[in-house]
Amino acid sequence: MDTQKDKLLAKAERLNVYRHGPVAYLKKSITALLFENWVNVLMICFPLAIHMEENHGDPSNIFFCSLLAIAPFAERLSFVTEQLALHTSEVLGGMLNATFGNVTELIVSLFALKYGMLRIVQCSLLGSILSNLMLVLGCAFFAGGIVTKQQKFSAPASSVNYSLLVLSASSSLLPCAIDANPSEGAPPGSGLVVSRVLSCMMLVVYVCYVTFQLVTHTFLYEDDDDDDEEAGEGEEEEEEEAVLGVAGSVFWLAVITVVISILSEYMVDSLEAAAVGWGVPDLFLGTIIIPIVGNAAEHAAAIIFAVKNKMELALGIAVGSSIQIGVFCVPLLCVFAWSIDIELSLNFGLFECLTYLITALVVGAIITSGQSNWLQGVVLITGYAFVSAAFFVHADPPELASHAEHHHE
């Protein structure tokens, strides 16, 4: 008992970031935030983007600078979230990481909604899901599989995640099927009505999912104790790195979120002009390029955890983040758009919905086994390359394009 008490006291002391005084705290926190990651060099693009926006510069350059600047701020958002998670349970920490990892996509979508760019809202969210499920998870499986031949994780938890992914994909496919083959005598806009009803149902499912993960079945989402013991002392040292504290973490979360909001507005506002200037489809920028940058922090974190053979955390970031977007963010935006009289549907288009469903089925087939290897990582990364190539040449059908233009006006 005394040993356990001593460990708890030692941990409390390590988590006390103010023990060396306020000056030492400020110096250490600023250094950790700004100078301990080479990606932070890209933060210089933030003032450049502001300067060009205020002086009505070339939209292509504004988009490029905003896109580059978002990467380090999204990564720092992940770092701050991890600092906050040190003061919570492992499962809650993983959920916080997934939640704030999606802040970038959510803010981009809100600004796209503000400008009436409904297709960019849909495609950026779908692109984030596809990026997480194939690129991020694939790289994690590949990197982890190179170090450890066969990696294991909870099959029951993966089965639950699989069912939620397929449910989310189905919620998009059903309105798409209704719009593509309207029933005789059905009122116009039936797909939109179904989308709104399904969105409300999905939000209820998300509440159930959070309860399942944090209350009733927490044990499914935690790493085994045996694995923790094998990790050794090096792992414990990692947990000692409390730098910001709770108050500092909350403050920096607010500051970074405001910065990402400014960059997101610049990026969305200049997206269409940048697409024309570069000769690239705007849907390709929204579905492939923006999510890759927005998911940069999650990408790095998932690979690091996989290399350390902490697969529950790696899957929590990649798959958990996708579930959160599909079951929470997309329905929430649909309901929010409904509340301000904007017709945002779950019908992403036939090509997009089928891509989503196929991705969910392929990923589900891999993760339900409860183990992974490097070849499965190659399969997922190659699948993402297929999707990227298809989106580069894909154009919206006339009915979706005209609907988007109507709202953009």
Side-chain angles (χ1 to χ4, degrees):
M1 286 293 290
D2 288 340
T3 307
Q4 187 66 21
K5 187 177 178 182
D6 290 342
K7 282 184 179 179
L8 289 172
L9 288 172
K11 184 178 180 181
E13 178 65 19
R14 288 194 300 269
L15 293 177
N16 180 14
V17 295
Y18 310 107
R19 62 185 180 277
H20 298 303
V23 175
Y25 166 73
L26 280 174
K27 184 180 176 182
K28 190 174 182 181
S29 60
I30 295 297
T31 302
L33 276 166
L34 301 179
F35 302 109
E36 289 188 356
N37 195 315
W38 65 270
V39 181
N40 289 355
V41 172
L42 294 176
M43 287 182 179
I44 192 66
C45 293
F46 176 47
L48 285 176
I50 293 176
H51 175 74
M52 285 187 286
E53 178 69 20
E54 289 179 348
N55 291 280
H56 307 289
D58 182 5
S60 298
N61 292 334
I62 294 173
F63 178 84
F64 185 67
C65 283
S66 301
L67 188 69
L68 288 182
I70 273 184
F73 284 107
E75 192 278 330
R76 290 292 83 187
L77 194 69
S78 177
F79 167 74
V80 175
T81 306
E82 286 168 11
Q83 286 291 309
L84 186 59
L86 288 176
H87 303 271
T88 65
S89 68
E90 184 177 309
V91 177
L92 182 57
M95 180 160 280
L96 281 171
N97 208 329
T99 301
F100 284 99
N102 293 327
V103 163
T104 305
E105 290 86 350
L106 199 55
I107 292 173
V108 168
S109 298
L110 286 171
F111 279 111
L113 202 61
K114 171 187 171 185
Y115 288 110
M117 301 164 68
L118 303 190
R119 288 298 288 153
I120 298 300
V121 174
Q122 293 175 327
C123 289
S124 65
L125 291 171
L126 175 64
S128 186
I129 293 171
L130 298 178
S131 172
N132 276 312
L133 287 180
M134 288 195 282
L135 184 62
V136 175
L137 188 61
C139 289
F141 280 175
F142 179 76
I146 294 295
V147 177
T148 308
K149 285 189 177 180
Q150 199 76 16
Q151 296 185 292
K152 295 183 178 180
F153 43 88
S154 172
S158 297
S159 180
V160 171
N161 291 340
Y162 179 27
S163 63
L164 287 167
L165 286 174
V166 174
L167 183 69
S168 176
S170 302
S171 72
S172 295
L173 197 58
L174 289 173
C176 177
I178 289 171
D179 286 339
N181 299 286
S183 305
E184 244 183 83
S190 298
L192 179 62
V193 173
V194 170
S195 294
R196 289 168 173 174
V197 172
L198 294 183
S199 294
C200 294
M201 292 180 181
M202 294 289 280
L203 291 174
V204 174
V205 170
Y206 182 73
V207 172
C208 295
Y209 170 61
V210 171
T211 305
F212 181 86
Q213 195 174 21
L214 295 184
V215 181
T216 64
H217 288 69
T218 307
F219 61 92
L220 291 180
Y221 296 88
E222 292 177 342
D223 280 318
D224 293 335
D225 292 335
D226 295 339
D227 294 338
D228 292 339
E229 287 172 13
E230 289 171 11
E233 295 175 0
E235 189 95 1
E236 288 177 10
E237 288 175 5
E238 230 179 291
E239 292 185 358
E240 291 173 8
E241 291 299 320
V243 178
L244 301 180
V246 176
S249 298
V250 171
F251 170 77
W252 284 110
L253 279 176
V255 170
I256 295 172
T257 301
V258 169
V259 172
I260 289 176
S261 299
I262 295 169
L263 289 169
S264 298
E265 183 168 20
Y266 292 169
M267 193 166 62
V268 171
D269 191 33
S270 58
L271 187 146
E272 289 181 340
V276 172
W278 294 346
V280 175
D282 56 352
L283 291 185
F284 178 78
L285 289 181
T287 312
I288 304 298
I289 303 301
I290 291 176
I292 286 177
V293 175
N295 290 336
E298 292 169 320
H299 202 151
I303 291 173
I304 290 167
F305 285 132
V307 168
K308 292 177 180 176
N309 203 22
K310 295 188 74 66
M311 294 306 294
E312 298 297 344
L313 290 173
L315 262 75
I317 291 170
V319 181
S321 180
S322 299
I323 290 172
Q324 200 161 54
I325 294 172
V327 184
F328 176 67
C329 294
V330 174
L332 182 67
L333 281 167
C334 185
V335 172
F336 175 72
W338 182 15
S339 70
I340 57 176
D341 202 27
I342 293 178
E343 296 180 357
L344 180 64
S345 169
L346 295 181
N347 176 9
F348 291 0
L350 183 60
F351 170 74
E352 289 83 354
C353 290
L354 286 176
T355 302
Y356 186 8
L357 182 61
I358 292 168
T359 299
L361 292 174
V362 170
V363 171
I366 291 175
I367 64 175
T368 47
S369 65
Q371 52 189 15
S372 65
N373 53 60
W374 67 265
L375 182 58
Q376 290 171 329
V378 171
V379 169
L380 289 174
I381 294 168
T382 306
Y384 190 71
F386 288 174
V387 170
S388 301
F391 269 102
F392 190 78
V393 297
H394 172 64
D396 270 340
E399 61 274 11
L400 281 176
S402 61
H403 183 71
E405 284 172 12
H406 169 72
H407 280 280
H408 190 42
E409 289 166 9

